Amino acid sequence: MAASGVKFGTSGARGRVTDMTDRVCFAYTMGFLQYLRRGGRLAGGGDVGIAGDYRASSGRIMTACAAAVRAAGCRPRNFGRIPTPALAAHGIARGMPTLMVTGSHIPDDRNGIKFNLPTGEILKDDEAGIRAQTVDLPDDAFAADGSLAAAPSLPPAESAALEAYVSRYLAFFPRDWLAGLRVGVYEHSSVARDAFHAVLTGLGATVTRLGRADAFIPVDTEAIRPEDVDLAKAWAAEGDFDALVSADGDGDRPLVADADGHWLRGDIAGILCARELGAAGVVTPVSSNTAVERCGWFDAVLRTRIGSPYVIAGMQTLRERGLAPVVGYEANGGFLIETDIARDGRRLPALPTRDAVIVAVAILGAARRRGLSVAALTAELPPRATYSDRIKDFPSELSAGRLAAFATGDAAADRAAAAAVFGPAFGEVAAVDHTDGVRMTFASGEIAHLRPSGNAPELRAYTEADSARRARDMNRTCMEILNGWRT
């Protein structure tokens, strides 16, 4: 891990494609499998599921992972290029560990491996267990450049995982759940594009496929690219859509736009989805919109650090308190279900990993059921807006050093330090929260939250205010301040 530069982030092991050699990916996979076997969760000869996204490097990495599975005495099963939640759900249903080769939303020159236990995502304790493994690599297995010495191969792709994922939603929602709705699916290079089409049409919607791409496009649902904003508005103006939907590269983070082509923020979409599913307990990271507490729709709201492992741990906490249904979501829109959800004699099984399709289906169905537009449904929330952006190629060490000035352990000193930098723009600092990064709440009730990315050398800024314009203006100011930190 130290030598390669490929490290665990918030969503598995990630790094530059040039660093993720076959040897490195083989070693990570072996570490994961050893950890499972020592914990009694994988037997010799057992199945291990593998899937990937559409990045140019994903096929090679999937092949290296399959080679490691064989070397560990197990059977690799190739489920093809499918959404991360489809792979995870299939593994959970069959008690099978799985590996998803994906870099999610980050650029094509980076990739990653996301590990799932037979029961779902690895948590931080599992990550520590994988890190602790000592892996002995075969001496003759790799060439000098780290590539596999023998001609590698993947087993033939199976369709079972994707088919089960689509059936998951067609079996739970009524067949006319989306009848009469006209939906545009922004496909780009997302592995969720075929699943979206199958589920939406299966539930009665008329679907138009838009923007399909062969080359990988790094669509980030948390920091939406200007070109994706423009595309949505153009499609809305040219077409006759009730909504637009999309997802990131591996299909676990959704995008939902109203009839005018305005993409909903992921933490707003999460609230609407949780409401439609009848959630009693909701878990979300500290960066999410405070409308979730202000709306009063849920019995309990628990805040965590950013990252699905922390959200999953929080959901387990609420479940253990006796709450049900319990769900979670992140600011990127990824939605997690901790407990089964029952409705009209149907059951939606728990899926404690990020999912995108459920968000689109729940929100569009809620709008149709209530005779409202997506925009009108959103307007029922308290007027609270968030905005986020990031500075790329911002070294992690520089981020840590700069943010340390606001995390001294002395609350008064932290407020004073924050006020000295951000006070001239935003006013008095009422509180500084260190749950994850530095989150400043100002006397006005406005919020600015700074945090290094766990997946790439980026520094993110999240802002929250009573209007979208103010949140955006605050974020622009934050970007100017942070850019000044480079010198």
Side-chain angles (χ1 to χ4, degrees):
M1 292 174 66
S4 69
V6 178
K7 301 178 181 179
F8 275 103
T10 54
S11 298
R14 288 195 180 173
R16 296 182 302 177
V17 168
T18 53
D19 295 331
M20 294 189 70
T21 63
D22 294 348
R23 183 177 185 275
V24 168
C25 297
F26 186 104
Y28 261 98
T29 302
M30 288 294 287
F32 172 59
L33 300 178
Q34 282 185 192
Y35 172 68
L36 291 178
R37 296 186 81 161
R38 290 177 179 177
R41 288 177 284 191
L42 177 65
D47 290 346
V48 178
I50 301 172
D53 64 16
Y54 286 125
R55 291 166 193 273
S57 60
S58 290
R60 174 185 63 78
I61 296 174
M62 290 169 65
T63 302
C65 293
V69 172
R70 293 189 187 99
C74 297
R75 183 170 74 127
R77 295 182 62 184
N78 173 20
F79 292 106
R81 309 302 177 96
I82 64 172
T84 292
L87 178 68
H90 197 62
I92 293 169
R94 284 152 183 77
M96 174 178 58
T98 58
L99 301 94
M100 179 71 186
V101 177
T102 179
S104 187
H105 62 282
I106 58 180
D108 198 24
D109 64 347
R110 294 174 178 271
N111 212 327
I113 306 173
K114 187 171 185 178
F115 304 99
N116 295 306
L117 306 172
T119 52
E121 281 190 41
I122 63 168
L123 300 184
K124 288 302 175 181
D125 288 346
D126 301 307
E127 180 185 308
I130 297 170
R131 288 174 183 271
Q133 299 301 311
T134 298
V135 175
D136 294 321
L137 300 179
D139 293 335
D140 58 350
F142 305 97
D145 63 357
S147 62
L148 286 165
S153 64
L154 269 173
E158 304 177 39
S159 61
L162 181 59
E163 291 171 356
Y165 181 64
V166 171
S167 296
R168 165 185 175 84
Y169 298 110
L170 299 186
F172 178 71
F173 292 100
R175 293 184 63 85
D176 63 348
W177 182 245
L178 303 178
L181 294 185
R182 297 151 301 179
V183 184
V185 177
Y186 174 27
E187 297 192 327
H188 61 94
S189 54
S190 175
V191 287
R193 57 196 185 188
D194 292 335
F196 262 125
H197 184 269
V199 172
L200 296 176
T201 56
L203 294 176
T206 298
V207 173
T208 301
R209 308 180 86 150
L210 304 165
R212 194 179 185 96
D214 293 325
F216 186 81
I217 298 175
V219 171
D220 186 346
T221 64
E222 200 168 3
I224 302 173
R225 304 181 313 152
E227 48 266 61
D228 293 328
V229 172
D230 294 341
L231 279 173
K233 290 180 179 178
W235 285 326
E238 296 168 1
D240 189 17
F241 299 118
D242 295 296
L244 301 170
V245 302
S246 189
D248 65 341
D250 68 319
D252 67 349
R253 305 178 182 199
L255 281 173
V256 178
D258 61 24
D260 293 323
H262 296 131
W263 296 116
L264 274 61
R265 300 292 300 174
D267 45 7
I268 293 299
I271 299 172
L272 298 178
C273 183
R275 184 191 194 190
E276 179 57 29
L277 294 178
V282 175
V283 179
T284 194
V286 67
S287 59
S288 295
N289 195 309
T290 58
V292 66
E293 288 95 355
R294 297 181 181 215
C295 69
W297 294 342
F298 310 108
D299 295 339
V301 175
L302 179 64
R303 296 279 184 160
T304 70
R305 292 182 62 184
I306 295 173
S308 55
Y310 300 109
V311 175
I312 293 168
M315 293 194 303
Q316 292 172 350
T317 296
L318 290 191
R319 174 174 51 80
E320 290 165 0
R321 293 180 187 172
L323 285 167
V326 172
V327 303
Y329 66 84
E330 297 181 270
N332 57 44
F335 199 86
L336 308 91
I337 300 175
E338 173 66 17
T339 59
D340 292 356
I341 295 174
R343 173 184 286 177
D344 300 327
R346 301 183 179 93
R347 183 178 66 90
L348 184 67
L351 181 54
T353 195
R354 294 188 193 112
D355 189 16
V357 169
I358 184 60
V359 178
V361 171
I363 291 176
L364 299 186
R368 177 187 176 276
R369 178 177 62 82
R370 298 183 57 203
L372 298 173
S373 66
V374 171
L377 196 70
T378 304
E380 294 183 334
L381 282 164
R384 196 69 175 166
T386 57
Y387 195 88
S388 62
D389 203 350
R390 58 184 171 167
I391 300 178
K392 298 181 180 180
D393 299 319
F394 200 101
S396 300
E397 297 78 8
L398 179 57
S399 295
R402 290 290 189 174
L403 296 182
F406 313 114
T408 65
D410 183 321
D414 293 344
R415 290 195 302 272
V421 177
F422 296 92
F426 305 136
E428 180 184 350
V429 178
V432 179
D433 185 315
H434 302 108
T435 300
D436 198 341
V438 175
R439 184 174 173 87
M440 297 162 283
T441 301
F442 301 94
S444 62
E446 296 174 340
I447 296 171
H449 181 190
L450 313 176
R451 173 185 174 268
S453 171
N455 296 321
E458 301 172 348
L459 183 57
R460 290 183 178 266
Y462 311 80
T463 48
E464 181 175 331
D466 287 337
S467 73
R469 174 173 291 184
R470 175 58 178 166
R472 185 173 57 251
D473 290 345
M474 288 180 66
N475 204 276
R476 187 178 298 115
T477 300
C478 286
M479 288 293 104
E480 292 172 357
I481 294 171
L482 302 187
N483 269 311
W485 288 0
R486 291 181 184 274
T487 59

